[in-house]
Amino acid sequence: MNNSLPLCLSYLTHAKTLTSIKQVHANLLKTGFHADRLVAGRLLLHCATALSDSLDYACSLLRHAPDPDVFMCNAVIRGLAESENPGKAISAFVETRRDFGLPPDSYSFAFALKAAANLRSFRVGTQLHCQALSHGFDSHLYVGTTLISMYGECRCVGLARKVFDEMREPNVVAWNAVLTACLRGEDVKGATDLFDLMPFKNLTSWNVMLAGCMKSGEVELARKAFSEMPMKDGVSWSTMIVGFSQKGYFDEAFGHFRELRRVGMTLNEVSLTGVLSACAQAGAFEFGKILHGFLERAGFLWMVSVNNALLDTYAKCGDIAMAGLVFERMPQKRTIVSWTSLLAGLAMHGHGDEAIQLFHEMASTGVMPDGIIFISLLYACSHTGLVKEGCTYFDEMRNVYNIEPSIEHYGCMVDLYGRAGQLRKAYEFACQMPIPANAIIWRTLLGACSFYGNIELAEKVKLKLSELKEIMLRLRLEGGYAPEVGKVLYDIEEEEKEDSISSHSEKLAVAFGIGRLCKGKKIRVVKNLRICRDCHVMMKLISDVYNVEIVVRDRSRFHSFKDGFCSCRDYW
């Protein structure tokens, strides 16, 4: 390597591996250029931000630097903030002052606030906010923008708006940050009002609104914004395709994909996986086959994620043989998602032995299983009567792979015993779980009892569900609750209609939560359907009468119930 400084910097710019970085560093030491602040700073920045495996080396360079400046410290803080351990960035920020005696500048605060945002740490973020004010950055645009983003990630929309409102001349980046903060906090109306007030909108502004509206379930608002966009890019189209797919608007997802191709927009990984996901969920086998042919002709099958989505499409559309063929022909290294998709497909088709064989094949390749693939494996055992094997894998999950079972894994085990007719074992397993059994588990067990005609055990299970009746009675007396039976369209008696409404899964889940809730904790419920009006009314009353906070995530948005009110303001 030549001794000239420009050539050294050129070699540094083109260094793509840690080995080549070390070679450049050795040459700098040999030529004496390592003492140059510009060169040392560029080397450290390249290690911290440009390469995925050289962050530790960057930290070592900083520790051994004879006279580090704030630029070098900021490079390390930035790299750590964007790493898998953003908490280390906060430590580096503290060390900048403590160990090196360097006052933080605007970039120091911006990168540290990014770390706080990635950590979702409100406490750290507010501490940094106070320090930024004490250092005179109260009116600094860059610091203010990262403060807005931090509060947005922490779901503190009010504080994000306050920082924004105090800005003298916010630029479009700051406007986009406060839009994102509002949408993160499910304040679609606030975001819409701000969007209408924006003096200038760029493409990012429109894409932020599209993504936020889709995520919040405001599909019509997203559709309207998309139609009004003066210009669209691949992100815009992908957002609509993926959003329609996730919300169940499959025809719209397919239509937007066709239109995307018609206007000549370049296809990307997100739009392709989005439309394949729509095929999988809708069972659109023929359209999936057409897409497969297109992907082969256009040369998109080198993407692992596209292959995974295609595999999942065939599996969910009923062609497990074709799913296996896609799996075998994958040109890139298979990921855990690849193995999980095929194993889940085999499980859904009742091929338990093949699913087990695939699991062992995966383990032999060195791919570590995760909790998701164990759900599919236990499901496969459950639906093919492999009780002994299911028990073995449940134990291995904890003892061999150190994966703590979730409620889904316990549910699979109850289903495993129940389907095999081992009802007593299923009941005892549900009662002895270290986490409270939810309504789905008790319903699974009740269904097994009914199938096998075990009336005595069925009555015991029903007793587990009677806590809800006590809650409903108290709500009638103290909150004036009256079930909205008019929404039940079945031609049945009024009493049966009440029973039908009262058995909704979110009501049962909250009933179990109240009986087992620790003081000061929230009840969190996740469901895959839109919450009905009667459940919504009941959740508000429960939060008031029982003085408890409930967070429900339904198909389209979050509902936070507290003191008799919901965060959606009854608009959902």
Side-chain angles (χ1 to χ4, degrees), residues 237-503:
W237 287 95
S238 299
T239 299
M240 296 302 289
I241 293 168
V242 173
F244 281 132
S245 174
Q246 291 176 343
K247 302 305 177 187
Y249 293 76
F250 303 125
D251 287 339
E252 285 87 343
F254 300 147
H256 276 68
F257 182 78
R258 293 189 187 99
E259 184 66 12
L260 166 64
R261 292 193 61 199
R262 189 190 70 77
V263 300
M265 186 66 67
T266 303
L267 294 169
N268 60 28
E269 193 172 355
V270 179
S271 59
L272 291 170
T273 54
V275 73
L276 285 168
S277 175
C279 289
Q281 294 179 70
F285 178 65
E286 294 301 325
F287 191 57
K289 285 202 300 183
I290 293 171
L291 279 173
H292 188 179
F294 165 74
L295 293 171
E296 280 194 314
R297 291 192 303 274
F300 285 110
L301 289 181
W302 63 269
M303 299 179 182
V304 177
S305 62
V306 173
N307 274 282
N308 290 340
L310 183 62
L311 189 165
D312 187 55
T313 297
Y314 278 120
K316 288 180 178 174
C317 288
D319 195 337
I320 193 64
M322 197 65 195
L325 192 61
V326 172
F327 180 82
E328 292 298 328
R329 291 181 175 178
M330 286 181 70
Q332 300 290 330
K333 185 178 180 181
R334 301 175 186 122
T335 65
I336 184 67
V337 177
S338 316
W339 294 95
T340 301
S341 297
L342 183 57
L343 197 149
L346 291 168
M348 284 190 293
H349 286 76
H351 302 315
D353 290 325
E354 290 90 335
I356 290 174
Q357 183 180 345
L358 184 71
F359 179 79
H360 288 294
E361 183 183 339
M362 180 194 77
S364 68
T365 65
V367 176
M368 287 296 292
D370 59 10
I372 297 173
I373 201 167
F374 270 106
I375 292 174
S376 297
L377 186 61
L378 293 173
Y379 178 93
C381 294
S382 171
H383 283 253
T384 46
L386 301 174
V387 178
K388 182 180 177 181
E389 291 83 352
C391 294
T392 299
Y393 293 123
F394 184 78
D395 291 336
E396 280 187 9
M397 182 174 68
R398 292 179 297 181
N399 301 330
V400 177
Y401 298 103
N402 295 317
I403 298 173
E404 193 62 32
S406 67
I407 192 71
E408 290 81 10
H409 298 107
Y410 287 110
C412 287
M413 290 302 294
V414 171
D415 189 52
L416 176 74
Y417 288 125
R419 286 180 183 274
Q422 299 180 23
L423 303 179
R424 179 61 57 183
K425 275 190 175 180
Y427 179 75
E428 290 173 354
F429 186 92
C431 291
Q432 294 170 8
M433 285 166 46
I435 54 179
N438 60 17
I440 297 172
I441 288 179
W442 291 120
R443 279 184 171 181
T444 299
L445 185 50
L446 186 60
C449 291
S450 302
F451 183 83
Y452 285 101
N454 192 325
I455 307 302
E456 179 186 353
L457 192 56
E459 290 301 318
K460 284 187 176 182
V461 174
K462 285 180 181 178
L463 286 175
K464 294 287 184 181
L465 300 171
S466 65
E467 296 172 20
L468 179 61
K469 292 183 178 179
E470 297 176 14
I471 292 173
M472 293 181 71
L473 178 61
R474 183 175 171 185
L475 293 183
R476 286 176 188 267
L477 295 174
E478 299 182 31
Y481 169 68
E484 294 191 18
V485 294
K487 302 293 183 182
V488 181
L489 302 180
Y490 300 112
D491 186 17
I492 54 179
E493 297 296 327
E494 290 294 304
E495 186 177 345
E496 291 177 284
K497 287 183 177 182
E498 286 195 22
D499 287 341
S500 174
I501 288 177
S502 68
S503 63

Side-chain angles (χ1 to χ4, degrees), residues 103-116:
D105 62 9
S106 59
Y107 290 99
S108 310
F109 280 107
F111 298 144
L113 284 165
K114 176 67 175 176

Side-chain angles (χ1 to χ4, degrees), residues 41-81:
R42 288 277 296 275
L43 174 65
L44 207 150
L45 179 65
H46 194 77
C47 292
T49 61
L51 302 179
S52 59
D53 61 345
S54 60
L55 188 54
D56 288 340
Y57 195 70
C59 295
S60 177
L61 287 174
L62 181 63
R63 283 194 301 270
H64 294 93
D67 187 22
D69 57 20
V70 72
F71 176 86
M72 297 179 187
C73 295
N74 287 346
V76 169
I77 296 170
R78 175 185 171 186
L80 291 169

